[in-house]
């Protein structure tokens, strides 16, 4: 159908804002008159003009009596920008087709009702599932107050993330490593445990050339993180969750503009539920977890991961550390063991990438 093509275009435009608009959703808009596109726009960066306003600016006077296709209900409230519904009404748009309503219970339907009261025809539901999938992180965040969590794991063919001596080496090929950079660009934050910092000294930076630098989240109960670690010396926001008391270390970290979050530990571990609650309040809608065995196990056992991206190389090692404790000696792709669903496998160079949901 022609109308579906217009919405598909809106969705493609919306994706251009990936990694730059959070905590706002990704939105694309298309203005159609007499079956032809006369204006296109997308939300390019948080705080800047919204997709509908950008599309209206491109269409100019051609917007009068035209149709607007947008993947999310136009906003009706003042934020960083004025309500998009006002601009739509003033432009003389006769019909609005939106893929889905705003999932936020506080605002859902208000934009649509405002448009209808102005005499504009409104249709909803076209390519709704694709629209929901595009903004799944935003949807979860506004409904639960917690970020959408993606668990990223790279392992050998027989399930190890480290060699027998405990050291970690590059397991996957360059195509997989590039995909990891893209994942960092798409997420608001990247999380690791202190053991990963001490063993690997990673930067956790986004080197894809897309999006912004993600916030670095570290679970470090006793504040063992070295002050000269690459994460501390790098750019971007750093948040460390700890449960101990080390006044001198805290003072030095704060001097380096590190955000310290002290939470009550449980059996020496930082509670994942509390971490997600705090991050949600800070406006972090999506979280990429790049932890070791302990972190991976905690997220899976506690049911806090939403998605799994697993890279598997053809390499094998005799001894090492499994990527999670609970899957030791089990079929790694056994859906009953992993509780994964809607999974698909694709090739990344010589590696395989499993993309699935919990």
């Amino acid at each position: 159908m022609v109308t579906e093509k217009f919405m598909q275009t809106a969705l493609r435009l919306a994706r251009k804002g990936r990694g730059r608009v959070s905590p706002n959703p990704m939105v694309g808009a298309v203005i159609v008159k007499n079956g032809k596109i006369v204006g296109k726009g997308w939300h390019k960066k948080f705080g800047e003009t919204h997709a509908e306003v950008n599309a209206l600016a491109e269409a100019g006077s051609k917007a009068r009596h035209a149709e607007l296709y947008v993947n999310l209900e136009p906003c009706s409230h003042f934020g960083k920008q004025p309500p998009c519904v006002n601009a739509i009404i003033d432009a003389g748009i006769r019909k609005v087709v939106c893929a889905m309503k705003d999932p936020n219970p506080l605002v859902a339907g208000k934009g649509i009702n405002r448009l209808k009261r102005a005499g504009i025809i409104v249709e909803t539901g076209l390519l709704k599932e694709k629209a929901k999938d595009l903004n799944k992180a935003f949807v979860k965040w506004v409904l639960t107050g917690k970020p959408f969590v993606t668990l990223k794991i790279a392992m050998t063919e027989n399930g190890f993330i480290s060699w027998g001596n405990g050291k970690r080496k590059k397991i996957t090929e360059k195509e997989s490593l590039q995909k990891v950079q893209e994942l960092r660009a798409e997420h608001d934050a990247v999380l690791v445990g202190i053991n990963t910092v001490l063993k690997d000294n990673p930067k956790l930076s986004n080197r894809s050339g897309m999006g912004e630098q993600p916030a670095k989240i570290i679970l470090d109960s006793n504040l063992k993180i070295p002050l000269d670690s690459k994460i501390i010396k790098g750019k971007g926001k750093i948040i460390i969750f700890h449960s101990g008391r080390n006044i001198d270390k805290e003072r030095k970290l704060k001097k380096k503009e590190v955000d310290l979050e002290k939470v009550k530990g449980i059996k020496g571990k930082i509670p994942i539920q509390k971490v997600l609650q705090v991050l949600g309040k800070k406006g972090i809608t999506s979280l990429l977890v790049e932890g070791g065995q302990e972190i991976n196990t905690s997220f899976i056992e506690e049911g806090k991961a939403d998605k799994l991206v697993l890279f598997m190389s053809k390499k094998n090692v005799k001894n090492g550390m499994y990527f999670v404790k609970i899957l030791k000696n089990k079929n790694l792709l056994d859906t009953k063991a992993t509780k994964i669903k809607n999974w698909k496998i694709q090739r990344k160079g010589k590696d395989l990438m499993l993309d699935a949901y919990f």
Side-chain angles (χ1 to χ4, degrees):
M1 294 177 63
V2 175
T3 52
E4 282 198 3
K5 289 184 179 180
F6 294 143
M7 188 61 77
Q8 287 170 349
T9 299
L11 287 165
R12 284 196 296 272
L13 289 169
R15 291 188 190 97
K16 291 187 175 184
R18 190 183 297 275
R20 297 188 182 278
V21 301
S22 184
N24 285 350
M26 291 174 278
V27 182
V30 175
I31 297 174
V32 179
K33 193 167 188 178
N34 299 323
K36 295 182 179 181
I37 295 177
V38 296
K40 295 185 292 185
W42 68 94
H43 187 25
K44 297 180 179 180
K45 190 174 182 179
F46 176 71
E48 295 185 359
T49 50
H50 292 181
E52 299 93 324
V53 174
N54 291 332
L56 288 169
E58 183 175 290
S61 61
K62 294 179 181 179
R64 186 159 297 279
H65 305 305
E67 300 175 354
L68 169 67
Y69 290 79
V70 61
N71 60 294
L72 185 68
E73 174 184 0
C75 63
S76 58
H77 61 284
F78 282 89
K80 295 283 185 180
Q81 296 291 329
C84 288
V85 291
N86 291 356
I88 294 170
I89 293 169
D90 293 342
I93 291 289
R94 76 169 188 87
K95 181 180 178 180
V96 173
V97 181
C98 57
M100 61 180 287
K101 292 182 179 179
D102 190 320
N104 190 337
L106 298 176
V107 298
K110 290 183 179 180
I112 291 173
N113 291 335
R114 177 77 177 85
L115 294 171
K116 287 181 176 180
R117 288 198 301 271
I120 296 174
I121 301 169
V122 181
E123 294 181 2
T124 61
L126 182 63
L127 300 185
K128 178 181 177 180
E129 292 307 312
K130 289 187 177 181
K132 287 175 64 177
D133 182 66
L134 175 67
N135 279 310
K136 54 185 174 288
F138 173 75
V139 172
K140 181 185 178 183
W141 181 65
V142 297
L143 293 179
T144 69
K146 302 182 187 69
F148 184 93
V149 178
T150 299
L151 198 61
K152 189 280 298 182
I153 298 169
M155 69 179 193
T156 61
E157 193 172 40
N158 54 341
F160 292 110
I161 60 173
S162 67
W163 272 243
N165 56 11
K167 293 183 179 180
R168 294 185 188 178
K169 302 177 183 179
K170 283 187 178 180
I171 293 173
T172 53
E173 303 297 327
K174 62 180 182 179
E175 291 85 356
S176 295
L177 295 174
Q178 176 59 34
K179 180 60 180 179
V180 171
Q181 293 300 318
E182 293 174 10
L183 287 171
R184 289 179 183 176
E186 295 170 3
H187 287 75
D188 295 344
V190 181
L191 181 147
V192 296
I194 184 58
N195 288 335
T196 296
V197 176
L198 296 176
K199 289 180 180 179
D200 299 346
N201 194 20
K203 291 182 179 179
L204 297 183
S205 58
N206 163 26
R207 300 183 291 278
S208 69
M210 305 182 299
E212 307 292 339
Q213 287 298 328
K216 285 78 171 175
I217 316 300
I218 306 158
L219 305 189
D220 183 8
S221 297
N222 298 310
L223 289 181
K224 294 180 179 179
I225 187 167
L227 295 173
D228 62 349
S229 62
K230 291 179 181 178
I231 288 180
I232 299 296
K233 294 167 68 175
K235 297 179 180 179
K237 187 176 182 62
I238 303 169
I239 305 173
I240 298 179
F241 286 84
H242 68 109
S243 56
R245 183 174 176 80
N246 187 330
I247 297 176
D248 182 58
K249 191 69 168 287
E250 289 178 35
R251 179 182 58 79
K252 291 178 180 178
L253 287 169
K254 288 179 179 178
K255 191 173 181 179
K256 293 181 178 291
E257 299 184 342
V258 173
D259 184 353
L260 296 176
E261 290 288 340
K262 188 173 183 178
V263 297
K264 185 177 180 181
I266 300 176
K267 295 182 179 180
K269 294 183 179 181
I270 302 294
I272 302 299
Q273 172 75 358
K274 183 63 178 178
V275 170
L276 297 181
Q277 289 174 345
V278 172
L279 294 180
K281 289 180 180 178
K282 290 179 179 290
I284 291 175
T285 67
S286 56
L287 177 67
L288 180 66
V289 177
E290 297 193 43
Q293 186 187 71
E294 291 290 338
I295 297 293
N296 294 338
T297 302
S298 294
F299 271 90
I300 293 177
E301 283 188 329
E302 295 181 32
K304 302 306 180 185
D306 300 291
K307 184 176 181 179
L308 171 67
V309 178
L310 188 151
F311 298 93
M312 183 188 297
S313 76
K314 289 186 176 181
K315 298 174 183 177
N316 276 275
V317 294
K318 292 183 178 180
N319 295 297
M321 182 180 292
Y322 282 94
F323 75 92
V324 283
K325 290 181 178 179
I326 59 174
L327 293 185
K328 188 174 182 180
N329 299 324
K330 292 183 179 180
N331 181 349
L332 299 174
L333 297 184
D334 182 352
T335 55
K336 290 183 180 179
T338 58
K339 298 180 181 179
I340 60 174
K341 56 188 177 182
N342 300 332
W343 57 282
K344 59 183 179 181
I345 295 178
Q346 56 183 292
R347 188 166 294 281
K348 290 292 180 183
K350 295 180 181 179
D351 304 326
L352 292 178
M353 185 182 84
L354 169 69
D355 190 304
Y357 292 86
F358 288 100

